[in-house]
Amino acid sequence: MVVGAIALVGFSVVLARLTLTPSAASADIAGANLRPGRSLREYAENYTFLAACKQIGGNLLLGAPFGLILPVLVQRRMRMVRVVLLTAVVMALVELIQGALVEGRAFDVDDVFLNTGGALIAYLLLGRRIGHHFHALAGPPPGAREPGPPPAAQDPGPRPGAQDPGPPPGTPPEAVPAAPVAPAASDGPRPGDRAPGRGLMARLTRLRRDRPPAPRRP
């Protein structure tokens, strides 16, 4: 990240020297162009082949460093879109400063398109690989959660109706745990068992019978 920032600052200095230097010789012929494609048609019709290649190629090369440096600084998500948008915004600001403050310079919308196209070409050729390798070496960003271990699989237990496979072959008998004995189901009172409450009634009857009669009054 620090290397990308230093490279961006260095390129900004070079870009300012190339685009914001006054040109007194071009003060009378420089004019603003707000119509896309107008300057390109002028290059094709009024310029020689070498002069047209110099103008178009120079603008493409001027935007190419954005496609190599910005992938190191921006996040991976929608990286190409961010590179294109940032390049277009920066170069549009440069063109506005040229037209407003620099003598012999003028705003040209075709220059913005060419600069942005140069950044896109550089990104597709080299910038994408540079950004991928740099972020792979740098590791995850601060605050990102590291993937934890996968959750342990839980034993669902024996399926209903499945038979117990038993101990493995060769296991001594004393090492085999005894199977739990389930309590026998009750089938009701057994013969000879007294029903609850019948013993108490019998005792009360016996006490009444054994009690001596009360003496009669004369």
Side-chain angles (χ1 to χ4, degrees):
M1 192 69 68
V2 177
V3 176
I6 294 175
L8 184 61
V9 171
F11 171 66
S12 300
V13 174
V14 176
L15 180 65
R17 292 181 61 88
L18 292 176
T19 57
L20 301 181
T21 302
S23 177
S26 304
D28 297 335
I29 60 175
N33 174 33
L34 302 178
R35 185 181 303 174
R38 179 180 177 182
S39 296
L40 296 178
R41 287 193 298 270
E42 185 177 353
Y43 295 154
E45 296 174 358
N46 301 330
Y47 282 59
T48 63
F49 178 76
L50 293 178
C53 290
K54 181 179 178 180
Q55 292 290 334
I56 297 175
N59 284 297
L60 291 174
L61 291 176
L62 193 62
F66 286 104
L68 303 177
I69 299 174
L70 290 180
V72 178
L73 301 177
V74 300
Q75 298 179 359
R76 185 174 182 179
R77 184 180 180 183
M78 300 181 63
R79 183 177 296 167
M80 183 178 69
V81 177
R82 295 184 181 186
V83 169
V84 171
L85 292 179
L86 287 175
T87 304
V89 170
V90 172
M91 297 313 301
L93 291 176
V94 170
E95 291 291 328
L96 289 174
I97 295 174
Q98 281 184 343
L101 303 177
V102 183
E103 181 184 6
R105 305 280 185 173
F107 178 86
D108 194 337
V109 67
D110 287 338
D111 289 350
V112 178
F113 292 151
L114 291 174
N115 299 148
T116 306
L120 179 60
I121 294 173
Y123 173 81
L124 295 176
L125 294 178
L126 291 175
R128 179 171 51 183
R129 298 179 182 178
I130 293 174
H132 176 74
H133 289 298
F134 179 83
H135 288 284
L137 293 176
R145 294 184 178 179
E146 296 183 359
Q154 297 181 356
D155 187 8
R159 293 175 297 175
Q163 298 181 355
D164 187 6
T171 304
E174 58 272 10
V176 180
V181 179
S186 177
D187 296 333
R190 293 176 296 178
D193 291 346
R194 295 182 177 180
R198 295 181 60 182
L200 180 60
M201 296 297 296
R203 292 180 62 185
L204 293 175
T205 304
R206 187 165 53 253
L207 290 175
R208 290 178 182 177
R209 184 178 56 189
D210 297 341
R211 187 176 58 181
R216 296 181 178 180
R217 293 180 181 182

